[in-house]
Amino acid sequence: MSKQATSSKETFKSLSAFAQEQAHLVLAHYLKDGGPVTGANAKELCEEAARNIRAAFAELEGRTSPDQGSGSAPTAEEQDRAMSAEPADIEWMPLDAWVSAATTAIGAQPPFKQWSAICSTDPDGPVSIVTLYKAPKGFYEVRFSEMPRGENLVKLLEASGPVAYDPWRNTREAQSLFVEGVETARFGCTVANMSEPMQVARDLVCAGLLRHDGHPILTDHVMQVLDRCRVTSSLKRTHYPARLSGQRIDGALALIMAVGLVLGEGSGAAV
């Protein structure tokens, strides 16, 4: 085994469980969507992919990548190349828009339809539960709750529409729901699945079309999400929810997943 491979293996083992899980997703994304790298600039593209992965490892642990912050100014050619630099993580949800979306009138009218999602990034932590309701006049309403892992979620979700779950995190809970007759939907928290609903959720809030009950835990989770914006080799801009080390964003992830179910129904796409 080469010295570089040994170093990479040791680096991976030093990460937290959550970071290792996300690193798997990063690598899977490159292997699935990147394809073979060929052509005159293959070396540069491979080096860029390596920098992105190292940066992802570092950011997941709350560190700065050694490839960043060198102080060297980019050339005009580098600025024109979409893959030469990655934008810094930025705030996802504007605080004023989220605060304005809070209301005490949640559930005042019967919903037309509803979708739910569960998420827990901590194997020993509580499960965040979000139910998204389609209300009259094109509005969406969000209800949030938390339950300890191992608790029976059936009573809470038995009439809440399809329940999205991440197979990396909540297969056990999904199996329990399925056995009791609750409809479940696999929703891997990958860049491909999360990018569009992440932006749609933000746009709905900013447009005043998504309301919530102001639950403080959900608010904390939403406000702690960072938008990890990247540009792919095909010049497509993608988005992915990130967090600082030690922060929880489970409720925000569940909200994005529920919005993803809505979008999936509209397009007929599987997640």
Side-chain angles (χ1 to χ4, degrees):
M1 183 179 293
S2 68
K3 182 178 180 181
Q4 183 178 2
T6 302
S7 176
S8 298
K9 184 176 181 180
E10 291 174 350
T11 299
F12 182 79
K13 286 185 175 181
S14 71
L15 301 176
S16 67
F18 174 77
Q20 288 189 21
E21 178 181 313
Q22 296 304 305
H24 273 301
L25 295 178
V26 171
L27 293 170
H29 172 67
Y30 272 100
L31 292 172
K32 177 182 177 182
D33 298 335
V37 180
T38 59
N41 63 337
K43 180 179 179 181
E44 289 80 3
L45 291 176
C46 288
E47 291 175 348
E48 178 64 27
R51 285 196 297 272
N52 288 342
I53 292 172
R54 287 198 298 271
F57 283 5
E59 289 167 2
L60 284 164
E61 293 302 304
R63 300 191 300 265
T64 300
S65 169
D67 292 326
Q68 299 174 337
S70 62
S72 59
T75 65
E77 182 180 1
E78 288 174 335
Q79 290 176 333
D80 290 339
R81 290 174 54 205
M83 289 297 291
S84 65
E86 297 287 353
D89 295 350
I90 58 175
E91 174 191 78
W92 172 51
M93 185 68 68
L95 177 59
D96 56 347
W98 182 258
V99 171
S100 298
T103 177
T104 58
I106 294 293
Q109 295 179 300
F112 292 149
K113 197 166 184 178
Q114 52 196 44
W115 306 262
S116 297
I118 58 176
C119 184
S120 179
T121 55
D122 183 349
D124 300 316
V127 178
S128 289
I129 305 161
V130 162
T131 299
L132 182 66
Y133 298 84
K134 180 68 178 294
K137 299 182 180 180
F139 289 97
Y140 290 90
E141 297 180 348
V142 175
R143 291 182 183 176
F144 172 83
S145 58
E146 277 195 336
M147 292 186 69
R149 266 201 191 256
E151 292 290 323
N152 192 334
L153 305 179
V154 174
K155 289 185 178 180
L156 191 62
L157 292 168
E158 59 186 351
S160 60
V163 180
Y165 71 97
D166 186 347
W168 284 75
R169 300 184 176 108
N170 295 110
T171 296
R172 182 176 60 185
E173 288 80 11
Q175 288 175 339
S176 298
L177 292 170
F178 180 78
V179 168
E180 296 295 332
V182 178
E183 181 184 358
T184 58
R186 288 170 57 93
F187 195 106
C189 290
T190 62
V191 174
N193 287 340
M194 299 292 277
S195 183
E196 183 181 6
M198 182 177 180
Q199 292 309 293
V200 170
R202 180 187 185 278
D203 291 345
L204 287 172
V205 172
C206 292
L209 296 176
L210 189 150
R211 303 164 175 170
H212 60 92
D213 61 2
H215 197 294
I217 295 179
L218 179 59
T219 295
D220 284 346
H221 289 188
V222 168
M223 290 299 105
Q224 289 172 169
V225 172
L226 296 175
D227 182 355
R228 180 160 293 158
C229 183
R230 296 290 184 263
V231 179
T232 68
S233 58
S234 60
L235 304 184
K236 178 181 178 181
R237 190 173 294 275
T238 63
H239 303 269
Y240 194 75
R243 65 175 184 178
L244 296 178
S245 179
Q247 292 183 337
R248 288 186 62 224
I249 59 173
D250 302 1
L253 295 178
L255 172 59
I256 294 169
M257 293 163 69
V259 172
L261 286 185
V262 178
L263 297 177
E265 286 191 2
S267 65
V271 292

